[in-house]
Each structure stands twice: as structure tokens, then as C-alpha cells.
Amino acid sequence: MLRASPRLWSLGCRQVPQLKCARPFSTRPFLRYPRSAGLNESVSGATNTVFEESGPSFASKLGRPSVRKQVLFFLFGSSTAFLYAAWRTELETSLVLDRLSSQARIWSTQTISNRDLIKFQQVELITKLRNQYAYLTAEVPKALRGWTSLVYLSVFQPYADASEGRRLCWKVCLLNAGIWVMWKFRRLQPAMARNFAHNPLSGLSFTLLSSMFSHQGLFHLALNCLALESFGSAAYTYLQKSQNNNHPEQLESTSVYHFMAFYLSAGMFAGLFSHIISVKFKYPRLIANLSSPANLPKVTDTWASAVASASSVAKTSPKGTYLWRSAPSTATKVSSELPSSLGASGAIYACVTMTALAFPSAQISLVVPPSYPIDIQTGVAGLLLIDVVGALRGWRVIDHWAHLGGAAFGAAYWAFGPEMWTRLKRQPKQEESLSS
């Protein structure tokens, strides 16, 4: 469960990815000043002024990136996800009730439970898979029927046996794998770095959502998918059971949309939490360090050194003014101290934390030796302790603040989420559904 900080080495106008991300990177070949800073003058003029003025003027020239757009994006995106999930769940439940009532008259005189709806949908799925299997075996040549049957059963038999939550996690993992494949194309890497990795200085908001499905390394992808397949399905089970136990009168045929709304909101909140920490705490401290007298460039004493220094400060283009990578280490320091991040670990940490609180007696074990089982709450506490230490000490291989934000969201949703979800949905009138 790693939310990695990828790194791109800037070579002219090309960006070459380095899979072993030991240090963070800037998502663009050049570092643009934040739009929220309100800078209209060129970088060359600002740079000369900065080097001549004191530290407070340095900070006032650069300004401070805003978090307003990111907060609004999270609030709008999360609200939209939950409202759509509630509406779609009600629609799916009504359709399943209609099919169940039309196929069995016994339900017209008997109360229907959520378990009955889930069993009925499982029977429908198996019937559909069997019909597809019969169609394939009838269409393919006899010489290939044996291989076709073997492949079909190897793929769809585990799919039919798995729970609905696990099948959903598999689909999310396939989406993550597709985006990982896109990272492997060199021509797509600049666009991928811009649109599928969240940079706190980019001013973009939608990357809070897109970055949670993005993985640049294979090990990063495999580890997150393995954790999602385990803890995501457990979190799905908790959401389903909480609905059945606390409000059995409110029919719900599926928890797919509920879980996806929770998963998306958790991932966006984790990215937003890390963004706020970077902008409100790391950025001002970094600017203060860069504006200290020890970091100011040396005064040029010859014409040759003055020309060389001026030529490497800035370049103005029709699209705006950018700092060269060779400028006096400012762009390099900012990009390394405020890296971009990507990965699903923020949302996965929310699933892990909610599972630990919902099933405190459960045990977990590592997939690599030593694989002895431990209590889930002990294991989760150990992970959070590592993230707290990493966040306070400034470790930059993993986005520890995103992990902590995801864990906080999972704990909050365990306490208040199920009741909020119940209030979003209107109470069903089972008598009207059965009579229709």
C-alpha cells in the first residue's frame, strides 16, 4: 500500500521516467509559478528582485498556492458520488424486486430480505454464465472446444464463486493495470505525469481523482492491488452487513455503488490532505529556507560570469514564463521538496482502517515470511506508526500524509458513514413493490 512519488529527469524537452523512485519529481519539464500567486512580471525580473531583496520579499513575490479549488473539488466530487450511488442503488433494487416478483408468486405473500435479493442476483449471474458457455461451445469447432471450455471455466468459475465485493475490487485493479500500461509508452509520459499524478503546485484539482488509479511501477501496482483485493472486499462486506443489521427494512440489492462512492471519496480526501500539508506547511517553510542569506547566489565579479548567470535564469515563451532547470537551484529544490504523488494507497488505507474497526477480532498475515498471523488492529497500528514517523521526519519515498488522511477518512466513515448513507436513501415501501 504505497502512494509513491514518481520522478522524471528533465532532459531538454524530453521526460524520461525512472522506475526506481527513490526521490520525488516535478511533473513538468519546467517549474511554472502558481497561477494563484498573481505574478504578472517575468521570472527574470522577479528573480533579480528576489536576489536583491530580503527574505520576506522573496515569499511575497512567489505568493502561496491556494487550496480552495481542491477543497471545492473534493466536496463536489464526493457529494456527487454519494448522491449518484444512492439513486443508482434504489434503481437497481427496484429492478431486482420486479424481476423477483414476476418469477416467483410466493414472494407476493412473503417478506423479502436483502439476503433474498443477493441470492436471486447470484442465481441470475450463474444462469447468464452458463448460457454464454453453452453458446461458445456450440459455435467453436470441435477441435477447440476442449481448450475453450478450459479457458472459460478457469476464468469465470472463480468469478462466479467470488463475492460481489471481491469482483468489484478485481475490476478496479484491471483499471489500475490499464493506466499502468499507459505509463509504459514514452510519448504518453508527459501527459501522464501532468494528468495522472497530483502536483501540489500545478493548480490542478482533477488529479486528486485521476492519481488514485495511477501507478508507475509494477511492484507498486501489484502491492496495492493485492491489498485492495483483501481489504477492499472486507470493507465492502462491512458496508453490506451494516445496512442489513441496522436497517433491514430498507432493501438494498447491491452495495457496489455505496462502496465505490466511499472508495472515491477516501482517495480524494487522502490526496487533499496531503495537498493541504504541502501547501500550508511545507511550502512556506521551503520558501523561508530558500530566501535565507545562505542560499542567495554569489555576486558575479566578471562580465563572463554575469552573462552566464543571466542566461541561465529565465526564458520567456508565448505560453508564459518558466524557470529553467539550470536556474539557481530554486526549481530543483521546490520540485524535490514538494513532489507529485500517485497511487491508490490513500483509499486502501481507508478500507484497512474501517476493516480493523469493524472486525477487531480478525487476524492478518504477511504474504512473505515471516507470515505468522497477528491481530488486525495491531498490524494497522504498526503501519500508522510508521507513517507518523515518516511524515514527521520528512521521508519522501512514500506519501505518508496521504496514508494518514486515508486512515482518518476510514475511521470517520466507520463511525458516521453507514447512518449518513441510510439518510441519503428514501425509505422503500415494500408493500407497493410486492403489489406491483
Side-chain angles (χ1 to χ4, degrees):
M1 297 172 294
L2 304 176
R3 186 174 177 89
S5 300
R7 181 185 185 187
L8 291 181
W9 291 83
S10 179
L11 303 176
C13 295
R14 297 176 56 190
Q15 292 181 326
V16 182
Q18 186 175 353
L19 296 181
K20 296 182 179 179
C21 306
R23 297 177 63 186
F25 84 113
S26 174
T27 59
R28 299 183 179 181
F30 308 109
L31 179 67
R32 185 197 297 268
Y33 282 116
R35 295 182 179 178
S36 58
L39 298 177
N40 295 323
E41 64 269 24
S42 65
V43 176
S44 58
T47 306
N48 294 334
T49 306
V50 163
F51 293 157
E52 294 174 1
E53 294 180 358
S54 59
S57 298
F58 189 18
S60 63
K61 288 290 182 180
L62 291 178
R64 179 179 296 181
S66 174
V67 300
R68 182 172 177 270
K69 291 195 303 181
Q70 286 74 22
V71 171
L72 292 177
F73 180 85
F74 165 73
L75 294 176
F76 175 78
S78 180
S79 302
T80 302
F82 276 103
L83 291 175
Y84 174 80
W87 171 77
R88 191 60 187 268
T89 301
E90 294 173 3
L91 178 61
E92 293 285 342
T93 303
S94 300
L95 294 177
V96 173
L97 277 172
D98 293 340
R99 295 198 302 270
L100 181 60
S101 302
S102 62
Q103 293 185 14
R105 293 185 177 181
I106 188 176
W107 299 115
S108 61
T109 58
Q110 186 174 343
T111 303
I112 300 177
S113 64
N114 289 333
R115 183 171 299 179
D116 297 325
L117 297 179
I118 295 173
K119 288 183 177 179
F120 177 72
Q121 291 180 99
Q122 183 69 15
V123 171
E124 285 187 328
L125 174 63
I126 294 176
T127 303
K128 179 182 177 180
L129 294 177
R130 286 179 176 177
N131 293 336
Q132 291 179 353
Y133 175 75
Y135 174 79
L136 287 176
T137 54
E139 292 295 328
V140 299
K142 292 183 179 180
L144 299 178
R145 287 182 182 178
W147 291 101
T148 303
S149 300
L150 179 61
V151 172
Y152 188 88
L153 294 176
S154 300
V155 173
F156 289 101
Q157 187 62 49
Y159 182 83
D161 295 338
S163 63
E164 188 178 30
R166 182 154 296 182
R167 292 196 294 263
L168 176 61
C169 292
W170 288 347
K171 295 175 182 178
V172 176
C173 290
L174 287 177
L175 176 60
N176 294 342
I179 297 178
W180 172 79
V181 171
M182 296 174 63
W183 273 101
K184 304 299 110 178
F185 293 93
R186 179 171 298 182
R187 292 184 178 181
L188 297 179
Q189 285 173 1
M192 296 295 296
R194 183 172 58 252
N195 298 315
F196 285 89
H198 182 69
N199 188 334
L201 298 182
S202 66
L204 300 178
S205 302
F206 70 90
T207 50
L208 293 174
L209 176 62
S210 60
S211 63
M212 62 181 293
F213 298 100
S214 178
H215 301 79
Q216 194 181 19
L218 181 59
F219 178 76
H220 186 200
L221 172 67
L223 190 63
N224 275 353
C225 287
L226 181 62
L228 177 61
E229 195 264 350
S230 300
F231 294 101
S233 59
Y236 180 96
T237 301
Y238 166 71
L239 295 178
Q240 192 176 64
K241 286 187 175 182
S242 64
Q243 177 68 23
N244 296 339
N245 297 335
N246 299 334
H247 300 279
E249 76 285 352
Q250 195 174 33
L251 295 181
E252 186 173 292
S253 63
T254 179
S255 298
V256 166
Y257 304 102
H258 184 191
F259 176 79
M260 283 307 303
F262 161 77
Y263 184 80
L264 295 176
S265 299
M268 289 188 292
F269 180 83
L272 176 64
F273 188 77
S274 176
H275 177 90
I276 293 176
I277 294 296
S278 297
V279 170
K280 295 299 183 180
F281 297 95
K282 293 182 180 180
Y283 184 79
R285 184 172 56 186
L286 175 61
I287 296 303
N289 292 336
L290 293 177
S291 62
S292 63
N295 290 323
L296 293 179
K298 297 180 179 179
V299 179
T300 57
D301 53 358
T302 63
W303 280 104
S305 59
V307 172
S309 176
S311 62
S312 62
V313 169
K315 177 182 178 181
T316 304
S317 66
K319 296 183 179 180
T321 304
Y322 300 86
L323 279 178
W324 280 111
R325 181 181 172 90
S326 58
S329 72
T330 303
T332 303
K333 290 184 178 180
V334 171
S335 62
S336 62
E337 295 292 337
L338 299 177
S340 298
S341 62
L342 48 78
S345 58
I348 294 174
Y349 258 73
C351 297
V352 171
T353 306
M354 189 169 67
T355 301
L357 294 174
F359 307 105
S361 60
Q363 291 186 331
I364 59 175
S365 59
L366 299 176
V367 295
V368 295
S371 57
Y372 53 86
I374 60 175
D375 294 338
I376 185 173
Q377 292 190 344
T378 302
V380 173
L383 290 175
L384 294 180
L385 179 60
I386 294 175
D387 285 313
V388 170
V389 174
L392 295 179
R393 294 188 61 85
W395 296 347
R396 293 179 293 178
V397 178
I398 300 172
D399 193 346
H400 298 281
W401 289 110
H403 289 184
L404 296 175
F409 187 91
Y413 202 85
W414 170 80
F416 308 106
E419 191 64 29
M420 180 206 68
W421 172 253
T422 301
R423 294 181 180 179
L424 280 179
K425 298 170 54 183
R426 62 179 179 83
Q427 295 293 333
K429 297 180 180 180
Q430 190 174 161
E431 294 79 7
E432 294 182 1
S433 300
L434 294 176
S435 60
S436 60

